[in-house]
Amino acid sequence: MAIKHYSRYQPGMTGLIKPGRAYFGSFMLFCALGTPLPLVAQTPADTLAEDVANEVESLTTRELQPLDANAGFAESEPLTEFDDFGVAWPDMSVVADSETAASRNAIAINTEQRYSVVLRGLDNLDEAGEIRSQFRALSVLRERDGDPAVVAQIDRRADVDRELLRELLRSHGYYDSQVVTELSGETGQERIEVIFDIEAGPLYRFASVDLPGLAAAGDRTDELREQFPVREDDPVDAAAVTSAQANLAVELGNRGYPFAEMGEEEVIVDHASRIARLTLPVETGGERSFGGIRVEQGADELFGSDHVATIARFEPGELYSTGMVDDLRRALIQTGLVSRVDLTPVETDDPGLVDIAVAMEPAPPRTISGEIGYSTGEGARVEVGWEHRNLIRPEGALALRGILGTDEQFASVSLRRSNFLERDQILTAQLFASNANRDAFDARTAGFTASFERISNQLWQKQWFWSLGLELLASDERDVVGAAGMRQRETFLIGAIPMSLNYDGTRDLLNPESGVRLSAFVSPELSFHDGTFGYARVQLDGSAYFPLMDALTFAGRIRLGGIPGASTNNIAPSRRFYAGGGGSVRGYSYQSIGPRDANNDPIGGRSLVEMAIEARYRFGNFGIVPFIDAGAIYTDLYPDFSNLRFGTGLGFRYYSNFGPIRLDVGTPLNPQPGDPVIAIYVSLGQAF
């Protein structure tokens, strides 16, 4: 039996439609003749399909209701629920005739068969790709196309999908569309075809788009009108209207209107002329600038209004912006001291200003952490930590940290003040003691360090950031003396003022795909060892990222370093340059590249050069990264690019929600004696 479905309205009629607000997706425009059609709220696709299937299965034919040409159109009930694609489920009343398709006679009615779905008639539509995509996502036939079914079951699924197609077409402005379903196939054929013959009909367009109330914005009316990009003569596209409405609501908030409200849209559709008129009332609520910040009682136990104002990226008197308020909300959560925050614009005595009321709920301020790991370069290690993030208010943290490992032991106590003076500025002081036993050096060190830095982060990635520090160290270190490779311990007293300046022209901290990064590090140092002398450690880094296509990024980096002012032997081994490892030259062990002593241990040097290139190819949430690295260490002041050590390999990436997880497997191309055949590195983020 061939099943044909017919619409319940006739072209040439007009009606007043008042759709409800669309919280997700788009509103639908419906016309009703005589008695309003019942509109079905959204239900899950399988429940909806079952309801319709039961209705269709219980009848073989249903007579069309007679049309009363004089009845006119009634106002429809508003839609209140929508599916994920912004398409409202329609009235699912269906009709069928008893005409039998010739192709149906050849299909075994009671035999389970597989089927395929064919959509005919969409190719000439500009929206064909989007309609097909939405149909694939919502289709009952598509959802179950791997399951064999008898013809009656396929018929019932096709009934639901036929109505779905008509509503998709309506949502794109094709109100006179006709969809006919046909089953085609032969007995014994592996699959039968479910064919939807689609006649879209003419495209309806807007004759007028009015936003009454927007003129209250005065000189800014035209600017705000541009934020609602639906115009006269545009197609009556429900998704476009909903998107424009959401965009205008957001931009009103971002352009100084915290109390703006959108009314209920009204659409009049004229089927005779195939046009529609859209009216969307707007209440701007008046333009405002930021006033003060009010922290509610109880929330000030975390921190007060002054500190919240320090974290905010807006100043009193600046034009109100919802985006800046949302940024403040995320920044307060990021402190780790706030579990929930509500920011509410409130009226003030000044009609041109709006205060921000802040209500916060505290998060646990203490953290205990632990880590167990092993690496070929640094051996096994266990790390534990304890931190109170608001011991000295506001945001004054006390942290204790300890490391017990085969190659390293470390203990420290530190004080850190976050958002110091300005947002994302951190003041830190630390006392520590460590014992590091590396192939390159053995150092027992105690010291005091302090730093004042401006950082970049995922929430607010900055182009420029910097750090200024102080180091006072006493270190007893193993060094190699003479050509025979004799080892002896020497004590170094070191004072340093490390400084760095960084530029980031990329758009992603963990996965840059375009732009450049540059950084300069300079550390003037004074050493008390066999007299007093000074020197400076200088390092320059640069990296660049070139998107060759959507899925492929070419990346390269270079690092240069030098230590003027002292010979290699006078510089403490722990303060020299080294190369090799996952963040340096992959394929080699940690700090293994460069000149070596008679015991085949690296001795470090006064200058270095490192280079790397890689191609990052991504497919879905995964990626592969072939790479080649090179580097060398020299005892002279300037690198001469001789004796470069090369490493190559293949990396694998998993792109998680918080950044790429990196697994690199490398091998040295021209190893020195004792270098590994293969090295593996795992970390979060790209290699550079």
Side-chain angles (χ1 to χ4, degrees):
M1 178 180 67
I3 299 177
K4 298 182 180 178
H5 303 270
Y6 303 90
S7 63
R8 290 189 173 210
Y9 67 87
Q10 293 289 335
M13 302 297 179
T14 62
L16 175 64
I17 314 301
K18 282 190 175 182
R21 290 194 176 183
Y23 296 100
F24 300 95
S26 60
F27 66 84
M28 298 303 303
L29 310 176
F30 286 92
C31 298
L33 181 60
T35 303
L37 293 178
L39 300 179
V40 182
Q42 178 189 357
T43 56
D46 54 353
T47 303
L48 183 60
E50 181 179 350
D51 292 344
V52 176
N54 291 335
E55 180 182 359
V56 176
E57 188 176 25
S58 66
L59 49 87
T60 56
T61 61
R62 179 180 296 172
E63 296 296 330
L64 289 173
Q65 298 295 328
L67 298 175
D68 182 355
N70 299 316
F73 278 82
E75 182 177 313
S76 72
E77 297 178 4
L79 298 177
T80 57
E81 296 189 29
F82 295 79
D83 61 50
D84 292 338
F85 285 84
V87 178
W89 286 103
D91 173 9
M92 285 301 178
S93 299
V94 297
V95 294
D97 68 8
S98 57
E99 179 182 336
T100 303
S103 61
R104 178 66 171 277
N105 294 329
I107 303 174
I109 301 298
N110 297 319
T111 302
E112 287 192 338
Q113 301 191 63
R114 298 185 185 276
Y115 59 85
S116 58
V117 180
V118 178
L119 303 184
R120 292 177 180 171
L122 291 178
D123 292 342
N124 294 328
L125 303 184
D126 293 338
E127 306 86 351
E130 186 175 354
I131 293 173
R132 290 181 187 276
S133 177
Q134 292 176 339
F135 179 79
R136 282 194 297 269
L138 298 173
S139 166
V140 177
L141 285 167
R142 293 284 191 186
E143 180 184 1
R144 304 178 184 179
D145 63 359
D147 302 329
V150 298
V151 169
Q153 291 174 310
I154 299 173
D155 273 345
R156 292 194 292 269
R157 298 173 191 176
D159 286 336
V160 178
D161 281 0
R162 182 191 65 84
E163 293 296 332
L164 170 63
L165 277 169
R166 289 188 58 219
E167 294 312 319
L168 290 174
L169 288 162
R170 285 191 181 198
S171 73
H172 288 279
Y174 296 95
Y175 286 88
D176 297 340
S177 62
Q178 297 291 332
V179 181
V180 177
T181 308
E182 179 183 351
L183 303 185
S184 177
E186 300 290 340
T187 300
Q189 188 173 325
E190 182 179 351
R191 284 180 181 267
I192 63 174
E193 286 187 334
V194 183
I195 301 170
F196 292 95
D197 281 313
I198 302 166
E199 184 178 344
L203 178 62
Y204 283 46
R205 295 183 180 275
F206 284 115
S208 63
V209 178
D210 297 321
L211 305 176
L214 193 63
D219 294 340
R220 303 189 64 193
T221 300
D222 291 341
E223 171 191 342
L224 293 171
R225 180 62 180 84
E226 291 298 318
Q227 309 312 311
F228 189 86
V230 175
R231 299 288 187 272
E232 180 181 330
D233 203 41
D234 283 355
V236 183
D237 188 316
V241 173
T242 300
S243 175
Q245 181 177 346
N247 187 71
L248 177 59
V250 169
E251 289 304 320
L252 281 166
N254 284 335
R255 296 167 188 261
Y257 298 90
F259 304 113
E261 293 184 359
M262 311 289 288
E264 185 175 300
E265 65 274 2
E266 293 182 346
V267 178
I268 298 175
V269 177
D270 185 343
H271 286 277
S273 55
R274 300 188 179 97
I275 61 173
R277 294 179 175 86
L278 170 63
T279 302
L280 176 63
V282 178
E283 177 60 49
T284 65
E287 182 181 297
R288 300 289 197 280
S289 297
F290 282 111
I293 290 178
R294 310 177 189 176
V295 175
E296 295 185 358
Q297 187 174 4
D300 53 4
E301 295 180 0
L302 292 172
F303 25 74
S305 299
D306 290 344
H307 191 64
V308 175
T310 297
I311 297 175
R313 291 171 60 190
F314 54 82
E315 298 289 340
E318 292 183 4
L319 190 66
Y320 178 88
S321 168
T322 302
M324 287 292 99
V325 175
D326 290 341
D327 174 79
L328 175 58
R329 179 182 294 105
R330 292 190 295 268
L332 290 171
I333 294 294
Q334 193 182 44
T335 64
L337 296 169
V338 179
S339 64
R340 180 177 177 272
V341 59
D342 290 324
L343 303 178
T344 307
V346 293
E347 296 275 14
T348 68
D349 294 335
D350 187 334
L353 297 179
V354 60
D355 287 350
I356 304 299
V358 182
M360 296 177 286
E361 294 183 5
R366 300 173 183 83
T367 300
I368 298 175
S369 61
E371 178 183 330
I372 300 176
Y374 174 82
S375 69
T376 55
E378 301 177 71
R381 54 182 276 153
V382 176
E383 179 176 344
V384 295
W386 176 91
E387 182 180 55
H388 190 306
R389 294 184 299 280
N390 205 29
L391 183 66
I392 305 173
R393 298 176 185 173
E395 290 196 81
L398 172 66
L400 305 177
R401 179 169 170 251
I403 297 174
L404 181 63
T406 54
D407 294 341
E408 179 184 14
Q409 298 82 45
F410 178 89
S412 72
V413 55
S414 64
L415 292 173
R416 183 185 71 251
R417 172 72 182 274
S418 299
N419 296 308
F420 178 67
L421 300 180
E422 289 187 14
R423 176 168 162 182
D424 292 338
Q425 291 186 172
I426 300 176
L427 181 66
T428 305
Q430 175 183 247
L431 288 171
F432 75 94
S434 70
N435 177 35
N437 185 8
R438 314 286 191 203
D439 290 339
F441 61 85
D442 181 352
R444 302 166 187 165
T445 307
F448 168 80
T449 64
S451 66
F452 179 39
E453 58 184 328
R454 176 178 173 82
I455 64 170
S456 183
N457 52 45
Q458 290 283 75
L459 181 56
W460 183 16
Q461 185 174 346
K462 305 168 187 63
Q463 282 195 325
W464 294 97
F465 50 102
W466 46 264
S467 68
L468 174 65
L470 172 67
E471 296 180 352
L472 299 174
L473 310 174
S475 187
D476 178 58
E477 303 191 10
R478 182 200 69 206
D479 200 3
V480 176
V481 179
M486 298 295 296
R487 296 178 176 177
Q488 67 179 42
R489 304 196 68 88
E490 297 181 282
T491 300
F492 299 84
L493 301 177
I494 300 170
I497 306 176
M499 299 171 284
S500 70
L501 179 63
N502 306 271
Y503 169 80
D504 187 352
T506 69
R507 296 182 180 180
D508 193 320
L509 284 177
L510 296 178
N511 185 37
E513 296 180 345
S514 63
V516 298
R517 288 176 175 170
L518 303 171
S519 68
F521 171 83
V522 179
S523 179
E525 301 187 6
L526 195 63
S527 179
F528 300 89
H529 170 68
D530 291 338
T532 302
F533 59 94
Y535 58 90
R537 299 166 64 224
V538 181
Q539 181 175 303
L540 304 175
D541 288 83
S543 57
Y545 311 90
F546 306 95
L548 302 183
M549 58 181 69
D550 289 343
L552 181 62
T553 298
F554 180 82
R557 77 170 181 93
I558 186 169
R559 172 178 294 168
L560 299 172
I563 307 178
S567 65
T568 301
N569 291 337
N570 285 334
I571 301 170
S574 62
R575 312 297 283 184
R576 300 169 189 168
F577 285 124
Y578 297 90
S584 176
V585 182
R586 287 165 286 186
Y588 294 83
S589 299
Y590 180 62
Q591 296 183 334
S592 65
I593 291 177
R596 300 184 178 184
D597 60 22
N599 302 304
N600 200 38
D601 291 328
I603 62 173
R606 296 176 63 200
S607 61
L608 89 158
V609 59
E610 291 178 1
M611 297 171 285
I613 56 174
E614 60 183 35
R616 302 170 182 172
Y617 180 73
R618 178 172 178 172
F619 46 96
N621 290 330
F622 299 91
I624 57 173
V625 182
F627 62 83
I628 183 168
D629 298 348
I633 296 292
Y634 306 95
T635 56
D636 295 331
L637 175 59
Y638 300 107
D640 60 13
F641 296 88
S642 63
N643 298 318
L644 289 173
R645 299 292 166 183
F646 293 89
T648 189
L650 186 64
F652 303 92
R653 304 289 185 268
Y654 173 70
Y655 294 90
S656 67
N657 291 333
F658 50 85
I661 298 174
R662 172 171 71 107
L663 170 64
D664 287 342
V665 180
T667 185
L669 295 180
N670 54 338
Q672 294 175 276
D675 285 334
V677 175
I678 193 171
I680 299 174
Y681 314 94
V682 180
S683 70
L684 176 64
Q686 299 286 4
F688 56 89

